[in-house]
Amino acid sequence: MIYADVKELLPQQPPYIFVDCIVDISPSDATTLMQVRADSPLVRDGKLQEAGILENIAQTCAVHIGYYSDDIKIGVVGAVPSLEIMRLPRVDEILETTVTVTAEVFNMRAVDVQVCCTGTPIARGSMKISLT
């Protein structure tokens, strides 16, 4: 596990922190962990909703950018050309989210994403992030 205070890498503040720690990071990809908590604003009926999965992915992208940058940049989800969510994770499950940069042009970044619970993919797709 890589030590980094993810709160220092993200513009979001609690309770909208959807990344707990960085597991692996390189210039081309990042993997984070997040435990689904019952008090999360995006948990309903004991499950993290689609918006929570999307926020977890976006924050994994933000952590990756922040780790290699001198300042926190605000990213905006520009497009989600594909995102398949196979199931919603339950409270106390741990998400392992990996983003892989596939292209970077000016202030736009394209990534492939995969979210797993206990080694089983529960979401995958691609996303485009616009950086300020």
Side-chain angles (χ1 to χ4, degrees), residues 32-53:
T32 64
L33 297 178
M34 181 198 100
Q35 182 176 10
V36 178
R37 291 179 179 76
D39 63 351
S40 169
L42 298 177
V43 166
R44 301 281 181 274
D45 300 321
K47 294 181 180 177
L48 184 66
Q49 299 301 293
E50 291 87 348
I53 294 171

Side-chain angles (χ1 to χ4, degrees), residues 56-128:
N56 168 257
I57 293 167
Q59 287 189 23
T60 297
C61 291
V63 163
H64 184 252
I65 293 163
Y67 189 84
Y68 287 102
S69 179
D70 291 336
D71 59 339
I72 294 177
K73 296 184 180 186
I74 305 294
V76 176
V77 176
V80 183
S82 69
L83 183 62
E84 176 186 10
I85 297 176
M86 286 75 89
R87 77 168 179 88
L88 299 177
R90 295 177 296 279
V91 168
D92 293 329
E93 285 192 300
I94 296 175
L95 303 183
E96 182 177 331
T97 303
T98 301
V99 297
T100 303
V101 178
T102 58
E104 192 166 3
V105 179
F106 300 111
N107 288 334
M108 292 292 296
R109 180 177 280 196
V111 296
D112 285 339
V113 303
Q114 179 168 283
V115 182
C116 295
C117 280
T118 60
T120 302
I122 64 161
R124 64 177 156 242
S126 61
M127 177 183 291
K128 293 179 182 171

Side-chain angles (χ1 to χ4, degrees), residues 1-41:
M1 201 165 313
I2 297 178
Y3 174 78
D5 185 353
V6 294
K7 291 177 187 157
E8 292 180 7
L9 303 176
L10 294 170
Q12 292 86 352
Q13 298 298 311
Y16 286 95
I17 301 288
F18 285 82
V19 169
D20 293 331
C21 66
I22 302 168
V23 186
D24 191 30
I25 197 159
S26 75
S28 63
D29 55 34
T31 301
T32 64
L33 297 178
M34 181 198 100
Q35 182 176 10
V36 178
R37 291 179 179 76
D39 63 351
S40 169

